[in-house]
Amino acid sequence: MTAVTHFLRRRILPILSQRQHLVVVVMLPLISLFLAAIAWSSLLNTLESKKFQAIKDIYAHAEGLAQSYAERLDRTIDGFNRILIHVRHDWDLSKGATKLEKADEVGIFPRDAVVVVAIFGEQGSVLTSSHPSKSQFTVSDRPYFQFHKYITEDQLLIGQPMRGRFSNEEVILLSRRLHPTSTDFKGVVVAGIRPEFLTANYSVTTFGEHGYLGVLGVDKQIRVARIGNKVTAVQSADPVTSFYPDADSERGVTQLEGKRWFADERNRFVAWRKVKGTQLIAIVGLDEAEMLAHFESERSNALANAYWNTLGLAVFTLMAMGFAHVLLRRKSELESARIAYRAATEEGVDGFYINRPLRDKDGRIYDYLVVDCNNRGAEIFKLQRHDLIGKTISDFYQGAVKEAAFARLQEALEKGVHESEVKVSERDRLDAEWINYKAVRSGDDLAVTIRDISENKAHLQELERRGNEDALTGLPNRHWIQNHLPSAIARAKESNTTIALLFVDIDGFKAVNDALGHTAGDELLKMIASRLKRTVRPHDHVVRLGGDEYVVLVEGAGRDEDVKRVAERALNVFKEGFHLASQNHTIGASIGISIYPRDGTDAETLLKNADIAMYAVKKEGKSNYQFYQHHFYEALKNRLNREIELRRAIELDEFEMYYQARVNIQDRSASSMEALVRWNHPTKGIISPIEFIPLAESTGLILPLGTLIIEKVCQQLSVWARAGKSIVPVSINVSPRQFNESNMLDVFTSALTRYSIEPEWVQIEITESMMMQETGHDVNVLTSLRDVGIKLCLDDFGTGYSSLSQLQELDLDVLKIDRAFTATIENEEGKVLVTAMIMMAHALGMLVVAEGVESENQMKILHELNCDEAQGYYISRPLPAHQAQLLFS
């Protein structure tokens, strides 16, 4: 400041007249005001531009959310549509005998979404319903009923929100004609779903605290709407009053004023997208205040800085006016501009450069000169500012890197702007992995901004990795293979090569998981993943689909013999045991193989056919591999048909109980019976349990079937008791799955109470293999059943691996020797083994029953061995209830 003052006083002031001083005094505030106006105009324009860009980004974000929401609604509506089609199909198959009343008990419909599924006849009366209500009413006055009555096409109708007559809850009704192929109206099948289920994916993180989700019909009626955590389906409380998108528009986005459109009077950015295949429109609203909060904060900071800068300019102007010199004013203005430029560029995190094109005599650009840069710009190049300014691009780059830099700058000169994201290589000499590169033409020069976006890119890559990686094993997951497989198929098609998919399902995983717990199960899954990865080539992939299912993807698979070797290596990894919980456990794997293009030309078909081939291996004994064959599909289809037939048989109670007597060996008196179920098929007659019990076990139908058997036995005991018949204990077989997945204590005690029978009349038979799987919870249940008065029988003893300590711990009442040992009792070795079993059981206080007795000689030997009871065809075959009771009369 001293030097400037000295210069003004010695050189400039003497040559200025009084009039010039007056001009300076007058002009300086005008010039300062002009500069302030330009700065404020630039600032406001910049803020407006940023706001415009922010709104543009919000529009794009809202459109993306609307697209995702529409796709979710499409999947949701499709799921409920499949339920309607399935119920309608079952109605047709059963010729109107479908009963939905027990559907909720067996978990057919999703409980968190479906309120009721019902079938109404042609007059609107209820034919069957999953809701327990007994009230009678008609829906003939309902709009959906009238719609299907007079519209003969098979259409899915999604109605407006209304209060359901079954549940008295707010529901959205989805409906279809009952007989789509018939011209005569026979009624409708209806599903009532909770409106809030359609907005269940609302997340404050995604939509904000005041975000809006809505489902609108093309009839301009809202089905459901949600603002924040408040869900509304009743039309009188509809948060959207009259907004409706253009009917011809499949999608769109706009900004709505809150006072006009929303009940909470908050402005929102609204995007909509029609839901594919429906008459619905998905609407997403993002709260303006929340979405622009970051921008408004930046705007406030920028304005505050501008106010302070304006004040500083005013002070500076007053100081300059004191010097009263035009040249000093000029210098002050240049210095202000320089300071403003430096403040604008140095305070940011971006590298800023001015590049000037260098042209030859013909006007062609041969290089670009760095005219200026900020400190951050030099740091990105690992240089000081003075080392960068004055250099050309050719001083740093050659070859392809130089050509790429020239191309970016040339595009900015031609189009006015260039912006791109660039992956940095070692030759780029930049201190970053990814940069955002933006060049804007400014007169003859180019203003270049470089921003380090490495952290953002790493974050996005990490999100992508997590979305494609199984969290437990680190393997690619189902999402990854669904995205990767189509591109692999495209490459194989182009190169005329093959792809092999090996669908690997672990044999015996559930038993290990149930016995040792989920922690050990997770450890086993990780060990399997590690071993499978070691068996494949580096460019092949091991994928975990979920649960205990894996897929090995082999690209360029070659011949079937090559694929067989891969499958054999995969099987070999299971030959060595797995060390878990201080024990060595042996498990196996079943592998199904599909080959592109022989077994399918798309990802879904290849996965499905590999799964079907794996299922064929399971049926044939497990621990093997099998290539897909077409007849596997037919076998699976037949199995599914049998499952549907068995499910219907349980619903219609097509089962009959047979009873096989047990006798006291000492006096040959009848002592008890075993209840054995038979399927009385309407067309096939009596079917043995060996033909349907395995299917019931594998599908979970053993749960409702087992409950039905217990009910029928208890009911029969009640009938005999009321008729004054002699009552002997009846034993009921219970599977491990019933104990694992049902509350057997409640099932038995409620049946005993309902039919008023004594607990001593009922015995429970469990298998030796089941006893091996007992958990602490199951032991407690068995103890509680025994405390009630129900006796426990160990069935098929000798076929499993139970220990003496387990027999002592469970405190069983009856031990049943398997028929295989009874068959050998007439030779010396067999007699010794049965003798040991009887002595052990008696030592534990257990009654012994020999199964499979076929002759009088076997009876005599058992009498000599002090066996308590016998059961077998020699005594009596299984008989219907009315015949079996005659043995005890």
Side-chain angles (χ1 to χ4, degrees):
M1 181 63 72
T2 302
V4 172
T5 304
H6 179 74
F7 176 79
L8 290 173
R9 290 175 178 176
R10 297 290 303 274
R11 300 285 183 172
I12 303 301
L13 291 179
I15 66 173
L16 294 176
S17 64
Q18 188 68 28
R19 183 176 180 181
Q20 289 174 315
H21 280 280
L22 181 61
V23 170
V24 170
V25 171
V26 174
M27 291 297 295
L28 270 176
L30 294 177
I31 293 174
S32 297
L33 183 62
F34 176 74
L35 291 175
I38 292 176
W40 273 96
S41 176
S42 175
L43 174 62
L44 294 176
N45 287 337
T46 300
L47 291 175
E48 191 64 26
S49 176
K50 287 186 176 181
K51 183 175 182 179
F52 176 79
Q53 183 61 42
I55 292 175
K56 182 179 178 182
D57 293 341
I58 295 169
Y59 276 178
H61 182 52
E63 287 185 305
L65 292 177
Q67 171 69 19
S68 298
Y69 187 34
E71 291 173 354
R72 181 183 181 276
L73 286 175
D74 178 33
R75 293 191 298 271
T76 300
I77 297 301
D78 182 64
F80 290 122
N81 184 35
R82 290 175 181 271
I83 290 175
L84 292 178
I85 292 173
H86 172 75
V87 171
R88 185 174 67 185
H89 180 64
D90 194 67
W91 179 267
D92 289 338
L93 285 178
S94 66
K95 297 182 179 178
T98 296
K99 298 297 181 184
L100 298 176
E101 283 70 11
K102 295 184 179 179
D104 188 62
E105 296 179 7
V106 297
I108 293 177
F109 308 128
R111 297 184 178 179
D112 58 344
V114 176
V115 175
V116 63
V117 176
I119 298 175
F120 298 97
E122 57 189 351
Q123 299 301 323
S125 59
V126 182
L127 299 181
T128 181
S129 165
S130 64
H131 197 277
S133 173
K134 302 297 183 180
S135 59
Q136 296 295 321
F137 55 86
T138 177
V139 297
S140 59
D141 59 328
R142 289 294 200 183
Y144 64 83
F145 188 89
Q146 296 294 323
F147 174 87
H148 291 297
K149 184 174 182 180
Y150 296 106
I151 301 298
T152 58
E153 292 84 5
D154 181 23
Q155 295 186 22
L156 171 67
L157 179 64
I158 305 171
Q160 300 176 14
M162 61 177 62
R163 195 160 295 281
R165 290 176 176 169
F166 276 111
S167 61
N168 199 30
E169 296 178 18
E170 191 72 8
V171 295
I172 294 176
L173 297 178
L174 284 71
S175 57
R176 280 186 174 276
R177 285 174 65 94
L178 189 56
H179 292 282
T181 59
S182 173
T183 57
D184 295 329
F185 178 68
K186 299 297 185 181
V188 295
V189 56
V190 179
I193 65 174
R194 292 182 172 88
E196 61 268 24
F197 185 75
L198 298 182
T199 61
N201 65 319
Y202 186 94
S203 167
V204 173
T205 303
T206 304
F207 298 95
E209 293 187 1
H210 301 283
Y212 171 82
L213 281 183
V215 181
L216 182 68
V218 295
D219 55 4
K220 301 188 179 181
Q221 295 295 326
I222 279 286
R223 299 305 191 263
V224 63
R226 176 175 186 157
I227 290 181
N229 292 324
K230 183 179 180 182
V231 182
T232 306
V234 181
Q235 295 181 12
S236 61
D238 182 8
V240 177
T241 56
S242 58
F243 170 69
Y244 182 75
D246 186 354
D248 296 328
S249 174
E250 292 286 332
R251 56 188 289 181
V253 62
T254 189
Q255 188 173 4
L256 297 180
E257 181 183 4
K259 290 185 178 180
R260 178 180 178 187
W261 301 106
F262 295 96
D264 61 358
E265 299 186 350
R266 297 181 70 93
N267 299 340
R268 287 183 175 84
F269 299 95
V270 174
W272 66 89
R273 178 68 66 96
K274 284 189 176 179
V275 182
K276 181 176 64 177
T278 72
Q279 297 298 307
L280 299 179
I281 299 172
I283 302 178
V284 170
L286 300 177
D287 186 73
E288 179 180 303
E290 289 181 341
M291 293 296 104
L292 293 178
H294 180 69
F295 165 76
E296 291 298 337
S297 175
E298 289 186 344
R299 180 178 181 275
S300 297
N301 292 335
L303 290 175
N305 291 334
Y307 289 136
W308 284 107
N309 290 337
T310 303
L311 180 60
L313 179 60
V315 172
F316 177 81
T317 302
L318 291 174
M319 292 176 62
M321 291 171 62
F323 289 108
H325 199 286
V326 175
L327 292 179
L328 182 60
R329 181 191 63 190
R330 176 67 175 172
K331 181 176 178 62
S332 298
E333 291 175 354
L334 292 174
E335 184 65 18
S336 297
R338 186 190 68 79
I339 292 172
Y341 162 77
R342 190 58 55 208
T345 58
E346 294 299 346
E347 292 179 4
V349 297
D350 299 342
F352 182 79
Y353 315 85
I354 299 295
N355 287 347
R356 180 168 296 162
L358 300 179
R359 303 177 184 270
D360 60 19
K361 61 181 180 179
D362 297 324
R364 292 190 295 267
I365 298 173
Y366 65 88
D367 213 335
Y368 292 87
L369 178 69
V370 181
V371 178
D372 197 4
C373 74
N374 63 356
N375 285 328
R376 176 58 182 154
E379 289 174 0
I380 292 176
F381 279 88
K382 305 175 186 178
L383 296 172
Q384 299 293 324
R385 286 184 65 246
H386 61 79
D387 294 328
L388 189 59
I389 296 173
K391 297 293 193 300
T392 64
I393 289 180
S394 298
D395 291 332
F396 295 97
Y397 299 130
Q398 296 297 325
V401 178
K402 174 183 174 181
E403 292 176 3
F406 276 26
R408 291 192 291 268
L409 294 170
Q410 182 64 35
E411 181 179 332
L413 283 174
E414 294 174 355
K415 298 181 179 180
V417 64
H418 166 86
E419 186 169 9
S420 60
E421 292 182 352
V422 180
K423 179 71 171 71
V424 177
S425 66
E426 291 184 2
R427 293 182 297 173
D428 287 312
R429 302 177 59 177
L430 298 179
D431 187 19
E433 295 182 4
W434 279 90
I435 61 169
N436 177 271
Y437 182 96
K438 185 175 183 179
V440 179
R441 186 179 63 209
S442 177
D444 293 332
D445 292 340
L446 292 165
V448 177
T449 303
I450 292 179
R451 175 178 297 173
D452 185 352
I453 59 172
S454 305
E455 185 175 343
N456 291 341
K457 277 290 186 180
H459 179 65
L460 291 175
Q461 290 171 353
E462 176 64 15
L463 290 178
E464 182 178 357
R465 182 191 67 80
R466 291 182 181 181
N468 289 310
E469 182 179 287
D470 176 54
L472 177 65
T473 63
L475 295 176
N477 59 15
R478 182 184 294 272
H479 180 265
W480 179 88
I481 196 171
Q482 288 174 338
N483 289 330
H484 178 81
L485 195 50
S487 58
I489 291 173
R491 290 192 297 271
K493 182 178 181 180
E494 183 177 348
S495 59
N496 196 27
T497 56
T498 61
I499 296 174
L501 274 184
L502 284 71
F503 196 110
V504 183
D505 186 88
I506 311 306
D507 301 330
F509 172 77
K510 186 178 185 302
V512 173
N513 197 57
D514 290 344
L516 303 182
H518 294 297
T519 301
D522 289 346
E523 184 63 27
L524 176 58
L525 292 173
K526 289 190 286 187
M527 294 169 68
I528 292 170
S530 176
R531 292 189 186 184
L532 287 175
K533 284 180 66 176
R534 293 198 297 267
T535 67
V536 300
R537 300 172 299 182
H539 58 277
D540 294 331
H541 304 279
V542 178
V543 180
R544 184 185 176 215
L545 292 185
D548 60 346
E549 295 178 339
Y550 298 81
V551 165
V552 178
L553 172 61
V554 182
E555 299 185 49
R559 302 169 302 169
D560 284 1
E561 288 74 13
D562 301 322
V563 179
K564 287 180 181 179
R565 284 192 288 271
V566 176
E568 289 166 356
R569 288 200 304 270
L571 287 177
N572 285 337
V573 306
F574 294 92
K575 291 184 177 179
E576 180 184 352
F578 294 84
H579 192 71
L580 298 165
S582 303
Q583 296 180 9
N584 207 42
H585 296 265
T586 301
I587 60 173
S590 299
I591 303 176
I593 307 171
S594 63
I595 304 293
Y596 167 85
R598 182 177 71 204
D599 301 325
T601 57
D602 61 84
E604 182 180 358
T605 302
L606 287 171
L607 284 168
K608 180 191 70 176
N609 289 342
D611 190 9
I612 291 172
M614 181 277 296
Y615 172 73
V617 176
K618 291 278 190 185
K619 284 189 61 179
E620 294 177 5
K622 305 180 181 180
S623 297
N624 206 341
Y625 65 87
Q626 182 66 266
F627 285 85
Y628 171 77
Q629 298 179 40
H630 181 70
H631 70 268
F632 293 164
Y633 173 77
E634 295 300 325
L636 180 60
K637 181 179 178 182
N638 291 335
R639 181 182 183 275
L640 292 175
N641 289 336
R642 292 198 307 273
E643 180 182 344
I644 292 172
E645 194 173 24
L646 180 58
R647 189 183 301 276
R648 185 202 65 208
I650 295 172
E651 292 174 356
L652 299 179
D653 188 8
E654 295 178 355
F655 296 92
E656 182 178 346
M657 299 308 302
Y658 278 50
Y659 299 88
Q660 187 175 25
R662 285 166 30 192
V663 298
N664 186 299
I665 294 179
Q666 303 301 321
D667 57 14
R668 306 294 178 99
S669 63
S671 56
S672 59
M673 292 187 288
E674 179 180 359
L676 302 167
V677 67
R678 300 291 187 267
W679 181 358
N680 193 353
H681 195 281
T683 59
K684 300 176 183 177
I686 298 297
I687 298 177
S688 170
I690 197 172
E691 297 185 35
F692 63 86
I693 290 297
L695 178 62
E697 287 278 3
S698 63
T699 60
L701 291 175
I702 193 64
L703 303 179
L705 177 57
T707 301
L708 179 62
I709 290 171
I710 294 168
E711 289 283 327
K712 293 175 77 68
V713 171
C714 291
Q715 184 182 32
Q716 185 61 61
L717 284 168
S718 177
V719 171
W720 284 335
R722 289 198 304 270
K725 303 292 185 180
S726 298
I727 302 296
V728 295
V730 177
S731 61
I732 303 172
N733 292 280
V734 179
S735 76
R737 191 161 185 175
Q738 287 176 267
F739 269 96
N740 292 335
E741 301 178 31
S742 297
N743 189 330
M744 296 310 297
L745 179 60
D746 284 351
V747 171
F748 272 97
T749 55
S750 61
L752 294 175
T753 302
R754 186 160 44 255
Y755 295 106
S756 300
I757 62 175
E758 299 297 327
E760 292 78 9
W761 297 352
V762 176
Q763 297 180 354
I764 296 176
E765 291 198 17
I766 62 174
T767 62
E768 192 174 5
S769 59
M770 172 186 165
M771 189 177 71
M772 289 292 293
Q773 301 176 17
E774 291 297 326
T775 65
H777 169 73
D778 294 333
V779 170
N780 292 336
V781 172
L782 289 173
T783 302
S784 298
L785 287 167
R786 199 167 185 272
D787 291 342
V788 168
I790 299 174
K791 290 189 176 182
L792 305 178
C793 307
L794 180 59
D795 193 19
D796 300 333
F797 182 73
T799 60
Y801 303 94
S802 60
S803 65
L804 186 60
S805 63
Q806 287 172 311
L807 291 176
Q808 289 177 311
E809 180 182 358
L810 289 178
D811 194 17
L812 301 173
D813 299 286
V814 180
L815 184 145
K816 301 184 74 174
I817 299 174
D818 188 72
R819 64 182 66 249
F821 298 98
T822 304
T824 64
I825 199 172
E826 293 176 288
N827 61 60
E828 194 60 33
E829 292 181 356
K831 183 186 295 185
V832 169
L833 188 57
V834 173
T835 301
M837 292 179 182
I838 294 172
M839 292 177 65
M840 178 197 68
H842 284 167
L844 294 174
M846 300 171 67
L847 183 144
V848 182
V849 179
E851 295 183 296
V853 176
E854 303 286 347
S855 67
E856 176 62 27
N857 190 39
Q858 290 176 339
M859 287 288 288
K860 291 179 180 179
I861 296 174
L862 290 169
H863 183 274
E864 294 171 359
L865 297 179
N866 202 26
C867 184
D868 300 298
E869 295 183 4
Q871 179 182 355
Y873 282 3
Y874 178 73
I875 293 133
S876 173
R877 290 178 176 273
L879 299 172
H882 66 281
Q883 296 180 20
Q885 179 60 34
L886 296 176
L887 298 173
F888 301 91
S889 300

